[in-house]
Amino acid sequence: MKIVVLDGYTENPGDLSWDGLARYGELTVYDRTGSEEEVIRRIGEAEVVFVNKAPISRRVLDACPNIKFISVLATGYNVIDVEAAAEKGIPVSNVPSYGTAAVAQFAMALLLEVCHHVAHHSEAVHAGRWAANPDWCFWDYPLIELAGKTMGIIGFGRIGQATGRIARAMGMEVLAYSRSIREEGKEIAEYVDLDSLLARSDVIALHCPLFPETEGIINRENIAKMKDGVIIINNSRGQLVVEQDLADALNSGKIYAAGLDVVSTEPIRPDNPLLGAKNCLITPHISWAPKESRQRIMDASVENLRAFLAGKPVNVVNGVEKI
């Protein structure tokens, strides 16, 4: 059996092993794949395809008739034409849960950096500013204590709840806006409607999936409903934010700061308005990337392949559960 990994570098830049997949067939791993034509060439006669962000379109599926199984090295699968795969009887599997702790931890890291600007002040010390300072301490930004403040979390599934638990441990009140209300969530947060969350929150964290109803949920109209000086944290999906509206609110001071790990187009475009906005921290989509999380992706991907070969695919996202 021929197995191909189209774009494996971000999952495994060299600190993990592909041996688990190699046990099941002739494995070829590519670090990166570009054009659709290149995708087609690299799949070739392969029967199993692992993909992260390389697109698998209907055209690719038509050009590669040997494909029998596709597995995503991630949770999101929007790069694959899952309907076309289903029409051809090809199961598509993903990794539904691997980075809950890591993503929640990173959301709080963004927030803490906004509150304390640790990296900036460390760089200032190394540049000699403390040694030359007439006082025994200095700070360049307002320092913010989180205890007693309110965090509103939009999307209160596994990751939202994990972030809520950390916020609670830091003395914050937690509000949640979610499509579904869970008993375990009630132990962490007060469920409220969106307008109440926007009006009451000192910090708003986005942990919701990208659906038509959540696309652009941070927009000019909703920003107007927020407290002056609110902090926005987004390490979910960049398309949840209307970026020009957020940039305008940062520049006006309506929003005090934003901590972002995602943007609408990745890699970020040089003309993204957030690059020039005030008090906007941006990291390159790395919330998911601790080695521990990536190892869980690898382990789950091996299990996806094993289950497919056993005739009982798991984590199927396109309804093809019988081979």
Side-chain angles (χ1 to χ4, degrees):
M1 171 174 288
K2 291 186 176 181
I3 306 166
V4 64
V5 178
L6 288 176
D7 51 344
Y9 182 79
T10 52
E11 159 62 12
N12 179 18
D15 55 352
L16 302 178
S17 172
W18 296 108
D19 288 351
L21 297 179
R23 287 200 302 267
Y24 292 99
E26 178 187 335
L27 177 67
T28 302
V29 178
Y30 297 100
D31 281 348
R32 301 170 183 87
T33 298
S35 68
E36 194 170 63
E37 288 72 20
E38 189 174 41
V39 169
I40 291 169
R41 285 197 304 272
R42 290 186 169 180
I43 291 174
E45 301 298 314
E47 297 160 276
V48 173
V49 177
F50 285 88
V51 60
N52 194 326
K53 297 295 185 288
I56 306 293
S57 64
R58 182 180 292 273
R59 177 169 174 255
V60 170
L61 294 170
D62 287 342
C64 303
N66 276 17
I67 297 176
K68 294 182 174 60
F69 177 60
I70 301 170
S71 189
V72 189
L73 297 163
T75 300
Y77 49 89
N78 57 298
V79 296
I80 301 169
D81 188 332
V82 292
E83 292 182 1
E87 290 171 13
K88 294 176 179 292
I90 301 169
V92 177
S93 294
N94 73 341
V95 180
S97 177
Y98 66 88
T100 300
V103 175
Q105 175 181 308
F106 201 92
M108 297 307 293
L110 289 169
L111 177 57
L112 290 171
E113 184 64 17
V114 166
C115 291
H116 299 290
H117 290 272
V118 174
H120 167 85
H121 287 106
S122 176
E123 289 169 1
V125 170
H126 283 90
R129 288 184 54 198
W130 196 15
N133 200 65
D135 302 310
W136 59 275
C137 71
F138 70 93
W139 56 91
D140 291 333
Y141 295 87
L143 305 181
I144 300 169
E145 182 176 286
L146 291 172
K149 292 188 169 57
T150 299
M151 173 180 279
I153 301 176
I154 299 177
F156 211 54
R158 287 185 297 264
I159 296 173
Q161 290 180 29
T163 300
R165 283 191 289 271
I166 300 172
R168 283 280 301 272
M170 298 181 72
M172 301 185 77
E173 178 186 356
V174 180
L175 307 177
Y177 171 69
S178 184
R179 293 193 305 170
S180 58
I181 296 176
R182 299 177 173 88
E183 289 303 315
E184 64 270 23
K186 291 180 180 179
E187 298 176 3
I188 304 165
E190 175 190 353
Y191 283 95
V192 296
D193 61 46
L194 180 59
D195 283 354
S196 295
L197 183 146
L198 296 173
R200 293 171 56 186
S201 299
D202 301 295
V203 178
I204 295 174
L206 302 179
H207 286 308
C208 53
L210 180 62
F211 294 130
E213 60 268 28
T214 60
E215 184 173 2
I217 196 169
I218 302 301
N219 56 45
R220 189 177 305 276
E221 180 181 352
N222 281 338
I223 289 169
K225 300 173 184 177
M226 299 176 190
K227 288 184 178 182
D228 292 346
V230 67
I231 297 169
I232 303 293
I233 302 296
N234 183 20
N235 61 335
S236 181
R237 290 291 182 267
Q239 296 89 339
L240 300 173
V241 173
V242 179
E243 291 172 333
Q244 187 63 62
D245 291 356
L246 177 57
D248 291 345
L250 286 164
N251 291 330
S252 73
K254 171 65 177 180
I255 294 176
Y256 168 65
L260 312 173
D261 187 47
V262 289
V263 292
S264 59
T265 301
E266 296 172 348
I268 194 168
R269 292 170 54 93
D271 61 353
N272 189 305
L274 293 168
L275 287 172
K278 295 179 182 177
N279 290 344
C280 189
L281 299 173
I282 307 174
T283 52
H285 202 149
I286 53 174
S287 298
W288 69 282
K291 184 178 180 180
E292 295 86 349
S293 294
R294 290 184 290 106
Q295 184 63 61
R296 284 190 287 272
I297 293 174
M298 187 71 76
D299 294 343
S301 297
V302 172
E303 175 57 22
N304 283 349
L305 178 55
R306 187 205 63 77
F308 163 73
L309 293 175
K312 298 178 180 179
V314 295
N315 300 321
V316 175
V317 298
N318 68 335
V320 184
E321 297 182 356
K322 294 183 179 179
I323 300 170

